[in-house]
Amino acid sequence: MFDSISDKFSGIMRSLAGKSKITEKNVQEAVEEIKMALLDADVNLRVVRRFINGTMEEATGEKVLKAVDPGQQFVKIVYDRMVALLGDEENQKLLLKGPDTTSVILMMGLQGSGKTTTAAKLALRLKKEGRRVMLVAADLVRPAAILQLQVLGEAVGVPVFSLEGEKNPAKVAKAALAQAKKDQRDVLIVDTSGRMHLDETLMDEIQKVRDAISPDETLFVADAMTGQNAVTIAKEFEQKVGISGVVLSKFDSDTRGGAALSLRSVVGKPIKFIGVGEKVEDLDPFYPYRIASRILG
Ligand code: GDP
């Protein structure tokens, strides 16, 4: 995971970390290498520019160049900026109501992004926290989606609501919410349909589902392996539907890191979880500090 960018960054950091004196030229060279490493990792161009300009400005100030440990100061600047780029942990908790009301989580994203799997992973996680969860099969486009969710629901021990023969996902979601309230379920996780590409029909459909159930969380599932494409699509969903957080799926298979490092800054919404494998247990909270440490080596 992130091997290439991590190798490059740890090399750059090591070359400066131990130095008792560094010049503006040293900083310039290191910042140039950081720029190349970020671009190679497929980080959004504007994000890269902002990152390196800020680093350059801060690291060529007297506070760094005249410090007793300038190399360490430089490393700290890069680390702090990397953490800020990834997000702040305060905003990463799920926005759920107390256990005596039904909170609603709407899952959305492109087909194949990992929505259905993530819905089940989240259900398991919340169940383990003591929540009474219900899953909703409102992906009525992909033929096997309902069955897939039922199988996953069984695996995680969470009931799955579906309406046989119903073609309108907003109606399914609304009926599910009524059922969840009746059954005193405190979290409802709604799996919606995706498409291979963005289209108006999909946006229109998701807006209707959203309006039918007023979600507390609208989670966009982004496939980390698709890099900047995932960022562009997240931006589109944010504008058309509104998102409250991102789940970055297939993080385990992402060798570059471009989506992780760009999403927060471009879309302005926190990454809340990462998918780290195909199994239902493979969902972790997203910790900016840990990722930044891993990248900087
Ligand atoms: P959907 O069409 O968005 O509902 O996508 P699915 O949930 O069906 O997932 C598509 C494929 O991605 C499946 O083969 C999943 O097992 C796989 N997948 C989902 N999340 C992850 C993840 O975090 N890591 C890995 N390695 N595979 C994942």
Side-chain angles (χ1 to χ4, degrees):
M1 206 189 294
F2 295 4
D3 285 349
S4 169
I5 186 172
S6 173
D7 279 353
K8 286 179 195 145
F9 263 86
S10 45
I12 302 165
M13 297 302 123
R14 233 179 296 125
S15 73
L16 284 187
K19 281 204 158 97
S20 55
K21 193 168 171 29
I22 57 176
T23 62
E24 193 165 329
K25 187 155 177 286
N26 293 143
V27 172
Q28 233 160 21
E29 281 166 3
V31 168
E32 186 58 28
E33 284 179 50
I34 289 174
K35 177 176 156 192
M36 297 318 291
L38 292 171
L39 289 174
D40 277 352
D42 186 34
V43 178
N44 178 284
L45 202 59
R46 259 192 231 161
V47 174
V48 175
R49 255 193 229 129
R50 225 176 298 139
F51 189 90
I52 57 155
N53 288 344
T55 306
M56 191 64 205
E57 199 173 306
E58 206 178 338
T60 48
E62 295 221 330
K63 238 170 77 192
V64 176
L65 298 181
K66 299 226 162 115
V68 275
D69 54 351
Q72 288 299 336
Q73 295 292 333
F74 181 78
V75 172
K76 186 171 183 323
I77 288 170
V78 176
Y79 176 79
D80 288 348
R81 285 186 174 268
M82 182 75 74
V83 173
L85 195 62
L86 290 163
D88 73 89
E89 266 159 50
E90 278 305 294
N91 290 324
Q92 284 164 235
K93 294 214 167 61
L94 282 177
L95 307 165
L96 299 181
K97 300 185 196 100
D100 43 359
T101 21
T102 308
S103 302
V104 177
I105 303 177
L106 179 64
M107 311 292 300
M108 57 190 194
L110 288 191
Q111 193 169 313
S113 63
K115 252 184 328 333
T116 308
T117 316
T118 305
K121 288 176 175 179
L122 204 52
L124 177 63
R125 204 183 164 82
L126 291 168
K127 185 186 151 188
K128 282 184 179 163
E129 287 173 11
R131 297 277 192 162
R132 286 170 47 78
V133 188
M134 181 188 256
L135 282 157
V136 186
D139 176 353
L140 310 179
V141 174
R142 191 159 56 96
I146 297 180
L147 182 62
Q148 185 192 355
L149 194 65
Q150 281 164 342
V151 171
L152 286 166
E154 201 155 305
V156 298
V158 167
V160 176
F161 182 95
S162 61
L163 278 185
E164 195 69 37
E166 178 57 65
K167 294 272 180 287
N168 181 343
K171 279 193 184 157
V172 174
K174 203 168 177 173
L177 182 55
Q179 186 69 41
K181 284 184 172 159
K182 201 166 136 225
D183 295 349
Q184 296 180 324
R185 295 272 155 195
D186 57 12
V187 185
L188 191 70
I189 303 177
V190 184
D191 183 28
T192 60
S193 75
R195 301 282 191 282
M196 294 310 283
H197 305 283
L198 273 187
D199 64 41
E200 286 304 316
T201 327
L202 173 64
M203 290 303 181
D204 188 48
E205 183 182 306
I206 308 242
Q207 282 165 0
K208 287 188 174 127
V209 175
R210 176 200 63 195
D211 294 345
I213 51 173
S214 306
D216 300 273
E217 273 283 2
T218 310
L219 294 181
F220 176 76
V221 180
D223 177 344
M225 289 169 72
T226 61
Q228 285 313 303
N229 195 36
V231 179
T232 309
I233 292 160
K235 218 168 130 187
E236 191 72 16
F237 270 90
E238 162 64 0
Q239 280 163 3
K240 298 264 164 68
V241 189
I243 67 185
S244 57
V246 176
V247 180
L248 208 46
S249 69
K250 308 182 199 179
F251 201 76
D252 52 298
S253 311
D254 178 23
T255 51
R256 298 178 80 189
L261 284 162
S262 313
L263 260 164
R264 174 67 205 241
S265 182
V266 176
V267 184
K269 292 294 152 78
I271 299 172
K272 297 201 171 184
F273 293 98
I274 46 176
V276 292
E278 293 192 76
K279 294 198 294 295
V280 284
E281 298 84 15
D282 295 334
L283 185 76
D284 288 342
F286 182 70
Y287 294 121
Y289 294 95
R290 276 194 211 166
I291 308 288
S293 302
R294 190 181 298 163
I295 292 174
L296 264 57

